[in-house]
Amino acid sequence: MQNNEDFIREKRELEKRKDFQLIQNIEESKSSGKVTEADLTTDEKVLARVTDGIYRQPASAIRELISNAYDADAENVWIDTDVPRFKNIVVRDNGNGMSSAELTNLIHHIGGSAKRDESKQHLQVSNSGDSKLSPKKKRKLIGKIGIGLFSVAQLTREFYITTKKEGDEYYLEAYVVLHNYSDTSEEKDYESRGQSFSAGKVKIRAIPTNNVNDHGTSIFLKNIKESARNQLRSTDVWALDADEQNFRLSDQEQREPKVRLPNFHIGSIKNDEQDIISRQASLPWDESDEPDQRFSRLYSAMIELAGKTVSPKLHEVFDNYLRMLWNIGLSVPVEYIDKHPSEITHKEFTVAYKIANSMSGKVTAIDLNDYTNLGELVGFDIDSKAIDFNVEIDKVKLFRPIKHHGLPPTQAAVKSPLLFFGSYENKFENLKNTQTGGPLSFDAYILWCPKVVPKDHNGVVLRVHNSTGTLFDETFMKYQVAEHTIKSQLVAEIFIKEGLESALNIDRESFNTSHPHYQIVTKWLHSALRQVIHQYKEVKKNTVKQNRGAHTDLVRSELQNVITSIAEERKIDPMEIRPIYFDTQESQDNQIWDAYKFDIKTVTNKIPSKFRGYNHEGIVKEKMKAIASVLDMYGLLEDMSLSEQQLLMSDLAQVIYAGQD
């Protein structure tokens, strides 16, 4: 058996020779015009995951292509999905583009990303000073594992890549045909494990151009798979609806439809070739709307529905296509539809709460009037908010569909949202990376609001360098809590500035939950949630108390007007009405010899117990004081003993509150 180190050394030398030869062939084609052919190569494990699809939805593949454009310093990404047919999809960006060497590396090393490989910095796919940053804009790279481009296997087996670097006089065009893994996965012996295998075939040609200033990459996805097209077109929903309609036609009782159709959708097509539309689209925007207005209308449509249903959900309101736009907006590094949480000022929240990093800590109230914005107070990383990146899909400019204020009103006791923020940083300088996973730092906020809209946003989302492949985790990383109602009113985002990347699984849509960084984030979040829930309860308690006091004051004022009116009718000076007190403290505070002094427990002992509680006691007192004043104006109390007075008041209270809810 060959020595493993020798095998690896020979393999690397072979790869270098293959790379050099392909680069030479591509360069020669610029003058000869010949087509260069090559194999897409990778090891068997990556081949299986790439060509048979590691991503769960078409949206995942599109998200990965957007991430590649972001890492390539693109300012704009334009996507045409051929909606509602979805036969072909085009993704264009104005990023750095690829040279012959970069394209060769992409073709020969699927799963071997050069972005963070310092030995491949000559390819200029990352910054020369820091391999974790993009070449020019110094963005924190969000791609890592080098297979993002081949996420298109979820959508098609053939596509074109057209790319160009600024200053080049040629476009490079690569026509790619992917293999199915089943076509290549024959039994291999032990000696062949780790060798490279063909994931597909590539034909490359150079196209001359006078537009030397142009730069970027375009990807033309041909003949989208039927399964992906059906997913994007919500075929399953429309098929169920058609079956339901046919059943109702044959049903004499004419039942109500059971299939719930989305409120907004792109319609459905009965026949692609003949362009026969079976259902017209129902979109929240007009054809005349600008790209940025369209997504705003999409968001507003969801918010408006919040007043008509208990808790609208994405899959109920939107079809698969519109939901894809929403979720990609949540995932990629685009601007918030309103403002980044770091830009929140005292105009939106007069008070914010800072989360303590100790397990037994409590939140601290911070007056935002003392700061320019929350970012100044928290120290949010500037990369989290200064985003020079735009994505348009079918003339819809994407935004992150999250707002932190101006949310739908509710009948909750606490009507205004509560904002909590926190930060964590640990370099773990005295510990090995194998124990800690390396340095970890992040900023986070947790928002309590009476009603989370849409319901799918109830949870926590982790953003690595402002990007995520995961959506909101409604379990809050498996937080066990009895207060389910409060938990259902929370939204949290954690912005990872350093670390956690190695915990991302290959699909970038899940995490290795046993990774040290994931465990630390989980522990921090659960401590933060405990603090948030405790503070919310305190705020609610104080709010209810204030509301109760305000209501009692209102009742007292109205009853006082009634007593004054009765006194005037009876020609009695209101100042001569005897004071009425209901507890010892009131009597001690007001040493007036001719006042009526009742024991509240004696007077209310016959009324339902719920009116004797703290929530209603103030109102009961005010009403019984008013009744005592009326009795006194009629001269009915003066000649009675205290015990008779209290018995009379008790009987009257029993009559007044009998049968009340």
Side-chain angles (χ1 to χ4, degrees), residues 37-54:
E37 297 189 3
D39 285 331
L40 289 173
T41 53
T42 183
D43 67 43
E44 184 183 14
K45 181 179 179 181
V46 175
L47 173 64
R49 304 300 297 277
V50 171
T51 59
D52 284 343
I54 63 172

Side-chain angles (χ1 to χ4, degrees), residues 26 116 128 133 165 173 210-211 247-248 292-293 302 339 370 413 447 490 525 552-553 568:
I26 295 173
R116 290 172 173 78
S128 58
L133 304 178
K165 296 188 77 70
E173 181 188 82
N210 293 324
N211 190 3
F247 187 82
R248 288 203 304 273
D292 55 344
Q293 294 176 316
M302 174 63 72
K339 58 173 57 178
D370 298 333
L447 178 75
L490 298 177
L525 175 63
T552 301
D553 291 341
E568 290 174 352

Side-chain angles (χ1 to χ4, degrees), residues 336 339-345 374-375 380 404 419 445 493 495:
Y336 282 81
K339 58 173 57 178
H340 190 279
S342 67
E343 297 172 326
I344 288 172
T345 69
L374 190 63
F380 271 105
H404 307 93
L419 184 64
Y445 76 83
E493 290 188 272
F495 304 89

Side-chain angles (χ1 to χ4, degrees), residues 140-300:
K140 292 180 179 178
L141 298 175
I142 58 178
K144 178 183 178 182
I145 52 181
I147 62 175
L149 178 63
F150 295 92
S151 63
V152 299
Q154 178 76 19
L155 301 174
T156 183
R157 296 295 178 192
E158 57 175 328
F159 56 94
Y160 287 92
I161 304 172
T162 304
T163 187
K164 181 182 177 298
K165 296 188 77 70
E166 187 174 13
D168 286 356
E169 297 178 349
Y170 292 86
Y171 288 96
L172 295 179
E173 181 188 82
Y175 174 55
V176 182
V177 178
L178 295 173
H179 296 319
N180 286 315
Y181 178 59
S182 56
D183 296 338
T184 58
S185 65
E186 298 175 356
E187 284 296 319
K188 314 281 192 311
D189 58 32
Y190 182 83
E191 291 285 341
S192 67
R193 294 294 180 184
Q195 292 184 10
S196 295
F197 296 95
S198 175
K201 296 291 184 180
V202 188
K203 292 182 179 180
I204 307 164
R205 66 178 181 136
I207 305 173
T209 180
N210 293 324
N211 190 3
V212 295
N213 293 324
D214 191 24
H215 55 90
T217 300
S218 297
I219 301 172
F220 176 64
L221 309 177
K222 288 187 62 179
N223 301 321
I224 301 301
K225 292 179 181 179
E226 193 67 23
S227 58
R229 295 180 67 200
N230 288 339
Q231 171 68 21
L232 290 168
R233 295 161 74 171
S234 303
T235 301
D236 55 343
V237 174
W238 302 123
L240 286 173
D241 180 56
D243 290 343
E244 180 68 25
Q245 289 188 37
N246 292 334
F247 187 82
R248 288 203 304 273
L249 290 173
S250 62
D251 186 1
Q252 295 180 354
E253 296 182 3
Q254 294 294 307
R255 304 176 308 159
E256 288 295 319
K258 292 183 178 180
V259 179
R260 181 187 175 97
L261 299 179
N263 299 70
F264 300 97
H265 53 79
I266 58 174
S268 60
I269 294 181
K270 186 176 182 180
N271 187 303
D272 285 349
E273 305 302 329
Q274 299 179 19
D275 202 25
I276 298 175
I277 298 175
S278 60
R279 187 181 297 270
Q280 292 293 334
S282 173
L283 298 171
W285 60 75
D286 297 325
E287 191 62 33
S288 60
D289 288 336
E290 295 297 320
D292 55 344
Q293 294 176 316
R294 295 186 178 197
F295 197 90
S296 179
R297 291 185 184 277
L298 184 75
Y299 181 85
S300 297

